[in-house]
């Protein structure tokens, strides 16, 4: 009987210890980006350029990240959950700046994004973000949800 009780307690102890790390929370959008990298193996955050407010409980993050040993610009849709923590719901890389990519855009259900030349006037429905590039900046159009 003691042997069974010992194995039962050991199993409960191990099961509890193995699940403790899955209770990760993020109090800020930046922490949610770090969790996206740590838990989903998405791009490692190198520099957050800007957090754009979409509405009270939703923001769009524009950041430089590293994925598969390649640095590029990433866009992520982040929402505040009912538990008052931030969660990444959508994220995508938009590549690197070049003359070829300036007229291209990348889209998800949450947003559309791309590059424009720094001296170009943005579309009235978009927001622009300065990045570490002499010729280009990022534009983001937030879709209503």
């Amino acid at each position: 009987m003691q042997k069974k009780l010992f194995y039962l307690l050991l199993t409960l102890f191990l099961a509890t210890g193995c699940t403790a790390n899955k209770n990760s929370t993020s109090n800020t959008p930046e922490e949610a980006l770090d969790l996206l990298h740590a838990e989903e193996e998405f791009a490692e955050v190198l520099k957050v350029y800007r957090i754009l407010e979409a509405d009270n409980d939703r923001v769009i993050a524009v950041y430089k990240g590293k994925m598969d040993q390649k640095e590029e610009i990433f866009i992520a849709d982040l929402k505040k959950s009912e538990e008052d923590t931030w969660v990444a719901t959508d994220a995508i890389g938009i590549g690197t700046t070049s003359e070829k990519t300036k007229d291209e855009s990348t889209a998800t259900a949450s947003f559309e994004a791309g590059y424009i030349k720094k001296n170009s006037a943005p579309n009235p429905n978009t927001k622009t973000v300065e990045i570490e590039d002499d010729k280009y900046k990022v534009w983001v159009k937030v879709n209503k949800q």
Side-chain angles (χ1 to χ4, degrees), residues 19-114:
T19 60
N21 291 336
K22 283 296 183 184
N23 295 330
S24 305
T25 60
S26 53
N27 296 319
T28 66
E30 291 85 354
E31 288 178 5
L33 293 174
D34 290 335
L35 282 177
L36 182 64
H37 168 65
E39 294 181 355
E40 303 293 329
E41 297 180 12
F42 197 67
E44 174 187 4
V45 179
L46 300 177
K47 179 177 183 175
V48 176
Y49 289 115
R50 192 160 166 209
I51 304 288
L52 304 167
E53 189 171 323
D55 60 40
N56 290 340
D57 295 330
R58 181 174 168 223
V59 297
I60 304 290
V62 179
Y63 66 100
K64 179 196 273 185
K66 186 174 182 179
M67 189 167 185
D68 298 329
Q69 305 303 321
K70 182 181 172 190
E71 290 183 12
E72 64 180 281
I73 304 298
F74 292 87
I75 315 292
D77 182 47
L78 306 162
K79 291 184 181 176
K80 193 176 259 191
S81 70
E82 291 178 9
E83 294 83 30
D84 219 23
T85 61
W86 289 94
V87 178
T89 60
D90 236 348
I92 195 164
I94 63 170
T96 57
T97 59
S98 73
E99 191 64 30
K100 286 171 54 177
T101 60
K102 75 174 175 63
D103 295 324
E104 297 175 359
S105 66
T106 304
T108 70
S110 306
F111 58 84
E112 184 177 358

Side-chain angles (χ1 to χ4, degrees), residues 7-23:
Y7 286 122
L8 178 64
L9 289 174
L10 180 64
T11 303
L12 288 173
F13 177 74
L14 291 175
T16 305
C18 292
T19 60
N21 291 336
K22 283 296 183 184
N23 295 330

